[in-house]
């Protein structure tokens, strides 16, 4: 079996190891959504991960989900990302951008005044931080069928801008209860047209978005993240047979695209369902067990030794240890993540975690 520290080919890229930096929203941008020096430094610090996936980045302000989120809509944002990409490339890294439309998990103060858009006008009982403070998330507006091409095109244009800015590829965010996951999840998608109802219909829009992005930049530069049965943010998938049918329809719709990778967030990493998903996908398969515990070396090594996946997405340990790969490989002591600074803004808990070499 390959280990975490063995190289792997992912789409168009030869990666130096199988530890990938999971997408991590850190809310370190200003209102303009433009990556600045601090963001360049943060990503460059973590370039020894085989693949660096960016924070969920909005393709259009109407899909912004957090204050402080970075975007890939404007020229200034693209220029900022080109500096980030350069920083990662200078350190020998490969970087994909996670493109995220937050769907209903948003607020008009984040979306430039627009009512958040979703498959159906179904609200969630949740609050979000906006400039005026903590506010309830409003009931979203159901997208008309003739608006879907616009949403799809926003993903395509974002992918084009990212690649033109020097980012190596994109990861489409189909997880964690945001727009694309809302299409997949019966609790969020009450549509009665060809985008709702049956598993095939609920998978349809995600398939269309991924296909369109692949047409624009090539399958070997595109990954997809999914989180079946994650059951967060009101995207509830509690009928396992339906879940199997929905994600089978999704993966069947993508099978001929030559996607670079599929990234699966699923709690029961040892269970049958993960291998069922893996069997329906031909590219590189990354796994992550979700939020309940940090991905530690033991779990990451288990994923590799038991051949549960081809690589591991690692989040919080990489927040706290920019040089995590070296530390894991050489058995070095680890810094401890500080959850209070995950979303705080500013450099503390972002670019000031020390490197192992700096400790001795
Ligand atoms: C601060 C923070 C921000 C996150 N932001 C994103 C995100 O933007 N997109 C995404 O798909 N997942 C996001 N996640 C989930 C992580 O990618 C990862 O799946 C999760 O942290 C579990 O992995 P870990 O135990 O290695 O941290 C986030 C998690 C954390 C802790």
């Amino acid at each position: 079996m390959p280990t975490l520290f063995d190289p792997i080919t992912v789409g168009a890229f030869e990666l130096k190891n199988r530890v990938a930096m999971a997408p991590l929203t850190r809310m370190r941008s200003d209102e303009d959504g433009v990556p600045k020096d601090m963001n360049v430094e943060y990503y460059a610090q973590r370039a020894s991960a085989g693949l660096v996936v960016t924070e969920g980045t909005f393709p259009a302000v109407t899909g912004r989900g957090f204050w402080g989120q970075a975007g890939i809509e404007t020229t200034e944002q693209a220029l900022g990302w080109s500096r980030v990409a350069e920083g990662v490339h200078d350190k020998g890294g490969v970087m994909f951008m996670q493109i995220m439309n937050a769907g209903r998990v948003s607020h008009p103060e984040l979306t430039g005044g627009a009512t958040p858009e979703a498959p159906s006008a179904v609200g969630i009982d949740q609050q979000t931080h906006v400039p005026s403070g903590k506010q309830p998330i409003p009931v979203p507006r159901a997208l008309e069928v003739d608006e879907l091409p616009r949403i799809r095109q926003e993903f395509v244009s974002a992918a084009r801008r990212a690649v033109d800015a020097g980012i190596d590829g994109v990861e489409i965010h189909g997880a964690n209860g945001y727009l694309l996951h809302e299409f997949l999840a019966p609790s969020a998608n009450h549509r009665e047209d060809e985008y709702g109802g049956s598993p095939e219909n609920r998978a349809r829009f995600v398939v269309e978005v991924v296909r369109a992005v692949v047409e624009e930049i090539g399958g070997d530069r595109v990954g997809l993240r999914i989180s079946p049965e994650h059951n967060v943010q009101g995207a509830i998938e509690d009928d396992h047979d339906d879940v199997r049918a929905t994600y089978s329809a999704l993966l069947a719709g993508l099978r001929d695209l030559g996607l670079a990778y599929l990234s699966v967030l699923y709690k029961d990493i040892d269970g049958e369902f993960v291998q069922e998903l893996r069997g329906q996908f031909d590219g590189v398969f990354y796994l992550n067990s979700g939020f309940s515990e940090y991905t530690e070396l033991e779990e990451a090594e288990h994923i590799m030794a038991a051949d549960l996946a081809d690589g591991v997405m690692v989040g919080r340990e990489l927040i706290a240890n920019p040089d995590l790969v070296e530390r894991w490989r050489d058995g070095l002591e680890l810094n401890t993540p500080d959850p209070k600074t995950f979303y705080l803004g500013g450099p503390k808990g972002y670019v000031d975690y020390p490197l192992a070499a700096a400790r001795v």
Side-chain angles (χ1 to χ4, degrees):
M1 278 315 138
T3 76
L4 288 170
F5 310 108
D6 285 324
I8 184 169
T9 304
V10 174
F13 305 95
E14 301 297 322
L15 306 186
K16 47 191 182 281
N17 59 63
R18 290 156 188 256
V19 178
M21 177 173 168
L24 293 159
T25 292
R26 304 300 312 277
M27 302 188 195
R28 259 47 176 210
S29 288
D30 299 331
E31 186 185 350
D32 58 15
V34 175
K36 308 256 167 47
D37 289 351
M38 191 173 70
N39 313 101
V40 175
E41 185 182 357
Y42 166 78
Y43 283 109
Q45 286 174 342
R46 287 158 181 79
S48 61
L51 177 66
V52 174
V53 184
T54 73
E55 62 210 83
T57 304
F58 61 85
V61 76
T62 43
R64 175 158 69 172
F66 313 107
W67 197 242
Q69 190 180 357
I72 182 71
E73 180 177 26
T74 67
T75 304
E76 291 71 29
Q77 290 161 0
L79 285 171
W81 279 116
S82 68
R83 296 183 55 235
V84 174
E86 203 181 306
V88 170
H89 291 156
D90 283 351
K91 293 276 181 66
V94 172
M95 169 172 238
F96 273 40
M97 173 184 284
Q98 188 184 54
I99 304 181
M100 163 182 169
N101 181 315
R104 66 182 177 174
V105 189
S106 190
H107 188 280
E109 285 190 41
L110 303 176
T111 57
T115 302
E117 298 167 333
S120 303
V122 181
I124 51 172
D125 187 14
Q126 220 169 284
Q127 297 193 316
T128 188
H129 288 279
V130 295
S132 65
K134 216 172 181 190
Q135 297 286 346
I137 287 180
V139 175
R141 182 175 73 77
L143 285 159
E144 301 291 339
V145 73
D146 64 4
E147 292 180 286
L148 297 181
R150 166 180 59 87
I151 302 283
R152 192 179 64 216
Q153 187 55 41
E154 287 168 359
F155 277 94
V156 171
S157 302
R160 167 51 57 200
R161 256 181 244 115
V163 167
D164 286 351
I167 304 270
D168 298 298
V170 303
E171 173 180 301
I172 306 297
H173 196 345
N176 300 350
Y178 300 108
L179 183 75
L180 297 184
H181 198 185
E182 289 159 19
F183 274 89
L184 295 166
S187 65
N189 181 346
H190 295 182
R191 298 179 76 93
E192 292 178 354
D193 57 14
E194 66 268 38
Y195 293 95
S198 69
E200 291 74 18
N201 281 0
R202 278 181 277 116
R204 189 180 310 281
F205 188 56
V206 187
V207 170
E208 287 180 1
V209 167
V210 177
R211 293 193 85 85
V213 171
V214 166
E215 264 174 45
E216 181 70 25
I217 63 168
D220 56 0
R221 291 180 186 274
V222 179
L224 170 68
R225 188 170 222 208
I226 55 173
S227 62
E229 296 176 329
H230 190 24
N231 296 336
V232 292
Q233 314 210 105
I236 306 302
E237 296 166 309
D238 54 6
D239 174 347
H240 188 62
D241 289 338
D242 179 83
V243 172
R244 290 180 62 207
T246 305
Y247 286 87
S248 290
L250 173 64
L251 295 177
L254 304 177
R255 194 133 200 188
D256 60 326
L257 292 178
L259 289 184
Y261 69 87
L262 181 67
S263 168
V264 173
L265 188 158
Y266 196 76
K267 194 171 171 35
D268 178 14
I269 53 173
D270 292 293
E272 276 172 23
F273 185 50
V274 166
Q275 295 314 308
E276 191 177 313
L277 293 169
R278 191 182 183 191
Q280 297 173 81
F281 183 74
D282 299 323
V284 168
F285 189 81
Y286 280 105
L287 193 55
N288 177 277
S289 64
F291 289 80
S292 58
E293 283 168 22
Y294 296 167
T295 307
E296 292 181 340
L297 178 59
E298 193 183 345
E299 179 178 293
E301 285 191 321
H302 168 67
I303 288 173
M304 298 309 301
D307 191 23
L308 302 179
D310 304 305
V312 182
M313 284 281 163
V314 182
R316 289 161 291 187
E317 288 285 37
L318 255 160
I319 287 179
N321 298 279
D323 51 350
L324 184 70
V325 175
E326 293 80 0
R327 291 181 192 235
W328 274 2
R329 192 191 54 213
D330 300 340
L332 304 179
E333 201 183 320
L334 299 174
N335 300 322
T336 306
D338 174 13
K340 289 194 299 298
T341 58
F342 284 175
Y343 305 112
L344 192 65
K348 189 170 158 28
Y350 191 60
V351 288
D352 60 352
Y353 283 106
L355 301 176
R359 298 170 138 241
V360 286

